[in-house]
Amino acid sequence: MSVLTTRPPDRTAGPPAPRKGRARRRREQQWPAYVFLSPWMIGAVALTLVPMAVSLYLSFTDYNLFDPPHWVGLRNYTEMLTEDPRYWRSVGTTLLYVVVAVPLKLGLALGVAMLLRNLGRGRAFYRSAFYAPSLLGASMSIALVWRALFNDGGTVARVLDAVGIHTGGWVGNPDYAVFAVVLLTVWQFGAPMVIFLAGLQQISPDLYEAAALDGAGRWRQFLSVTVPMLSPVVFFNLVLETIQSFQVFTPAFAISGGDGGPADSTLFYTLYLYERGFTASHMGYAAAMAWMLLLAIGAVTLILFRTSRSWVFYADEEDR
Amino acid sequence: MPEPPVLRPRRRTFLALSTLGATAALAPLSACSSDDAGGGKGVTLTFSWWGNDDRASRTNNAVKLFEKEHPGITVRTSNADFGSYLTKLATQAAGGGVPDVVQLDYRQISQYAAGDALARLDEPIDAGTIRTDEMDDSFLRTGTYQGRQYALPMGRGITGYAYDSHLYAKAGITTPEPSWTWEEWADANVRIHRLGLHGPDGRTVTGSNDGGTNEDVFEDWLRSRGGQLYEDQRRLAFSERDLTAFWTFCDTLRKEGAVAAARDTTQAKSTETSPMGRGLAAADFTWDAPFPGYPALLGEQVHYGPVPTTGGRAGAYFKPSMLIGIGAHSAHPKEAAQLVDFLLNDHRAGDILGFSRSTPPNRAVAARVATTLKGAEREIYRYAQAMEKYGLADPPTAPPRGDLAVQAAFGRTYQRVMFGLSTPRQAARELIDQANRELRQ
């Protein structure tokens, strides 16, 4: 769009057409675009914008799913911020999770991607094998298997018992339960791994050769070539994983049996939101929580973008 | 080989992607309940309930008989444990997709009826599709909302206490009488713990499950001291002091090892996963309806005893154990009514279902089934008769709408006490704050 309006007048095509005609021609040129866009636009309006507007409205109401919503102004917001200890518990659990799970997952994804890069034969096989958990992992069934693994008497507890560590099942213990969820997420590192792999393959071998000629060892090459060249990809993965981690739901739901227990130790933000909305029938409160989450994710993303200026290296910046 | 294009990600691309990702935060939690009844011919009904395996197999058998009697009607059943059942039903109700025939808790009636999620049953009752002439009018009233019938009771229940009589004899504890007290109960738990028996995983067997996590146990305890849970639809009738006293009582017993350990209480979601079901405790507070599941799992030495009293004053009371209703948006209300009638009034269905939902509301069915009762079900029947004779206070009025949430909060808040994250007093304060917020709506 901006290209059209800022393009200088075409001098070779004779005198410029009168303003009205040009505007009409522009409309004529644009209508096919709108026709092709319409399925997306209808979807965006009906499935995103309207629900968002409704959700914003509901966040200022008391709505129990059954009776018509009843306007309460800012009460949902003030209640969650000042009166509800569980709200802050869910915020704490979610932040702990984001801070632990995201670096672990990205670290693992990058490490495996670097191993696979140098692999000749069988790379396709390993890539698929490591990617598989990402496809399966989001499902309820895997989360339930995970719960069984970490239950009292489950495989993990037995193996730990055998080596003398008695945890008695992670999912029944508030000190460990959240880490069962963390491990389930970290295990699904396939998606960022594939993106890292693509990024690694784009780094020109010339750079490594030049670095090697200058006497750089493997570690030095990693720090001076791989890290800066890969930084946009790292940034991309970091932003996406952070946003996704704030919204973690399925594993927490399955592992805690839906209630965020034991003792609220797996009460993730979205799980509490769901519980407020569908178990306790406080849809207005749940909507207010969703908007607070959107604001928080927006703020965190903004901070990531601000800090990225100092550490993300874009190849096209040299051209300017 | 051509040089691969150099990857040049730009800020703008990232910004756009991140915005998309963030918007997903607001994407509504999809209810995903597409109940497509397959097949062009015939009628498919959905029927859902909660309960243990024993109830599931009996209910499925009764449904099979119904299908045989009514060719052309297929019934798709689904069941779950109580907690997940409630959540699922609330989600379905929000989407207008309540099953055609649905088992309901006493605490759900007012909310679901007021929210137009349930069909009125007055018409099928007047038309004789659902017969109620063999049921007590006063008991039928528990399924009404603003004078209209929305659900019918499926059974009359009472709280009690499943215990292992062998272990009780071994510890020298006399058979629990209807007048036994909370102190005697606490003492029994300590004695069982002192036997030093080992459970399947090597830990010492405790006396009972931890009642602190269960609002029903608290209610019995409170009523035995002359209190009650609710003043009216908006106010609690107990104080922070009452709850602190109860939770301190439970907390102390658990710390002594007399009742189940915290990690076992958090994992107890059914008969099979309860501390008693796992061989880690000698007793379990439970409703009469799921009781037959215990002897079925653990053996004939498990009996059903009364809940302890305070100085002989009993806190237990009779209430509709569960009710049955018809979804307001059912496409086949007539067939749904036929199924409801069959489950409640058909003698053969009564024989199959037995006392799996405690005493059937249909007098004729109850009398008929009572003569054929054996084992655990006979025990429930005798227990109810004994308690009737012993004398129980009148049941409280129907609980307020927010009670389901309060009940969930009760167990959850006590978990903080179990794991040492709150003192009983702090937890009691928090529960009362939460309950007041739930009741305010």
Side-chain angles (χ1 to χ4, degrees), chain A residues 142-160:
Chain A
I142 292 292
L144 288 173
V145 170
W146 207 260
R147 178 180 166 82
L149 280 177
F150 284 95
N151 222 331
D152 199 1
T155 315
V156 173
R158 282 190 202 171
V159 169
L160 288 176

Side-chain angles (χ1 to χ4, degrees), chain A residues 52 64 66-67 79 86 89 151-152 174 202 232 236 239 262-263 274-276 278 282 294 314 316-317, chain B residues 5 8-11 14 17-18 22 26 87 90 115 267 278 401 412 415-416 419 430 437-438 440:
Chain A
M52 276 177 79
N64 64 13
F66 296 99
D67 301 323
E79 183 178 323
R86 298 190 77 215
R89 245 173 255 156
N151 222 331
D152 199 1
Q202 300 300 330
F236 174 80
V239 170
Y274 174 82
E275 193 236 81
R276 287 286 88 192
F278 290 99
H282 295 305
L294 181 79
Y314 289 93
D316 57 332
E317 277 171 359
Chain B
R8 286 189 170 184
R10 281 154 216 268
R11 286 180 198 281
F14 284 164
L17 280 167
S18 316
L26 289 180
T87 313
Q267 288 182 56
R278 293 169 63 213
R401 279 177 164 211
R412 199 172 55 219
Q415 286 190 354
R416 293 183 61 76
F419 288 106
E430 187 179 327
R437 270 188 283 129
E438 297 297 344
R440 195 168 66 194

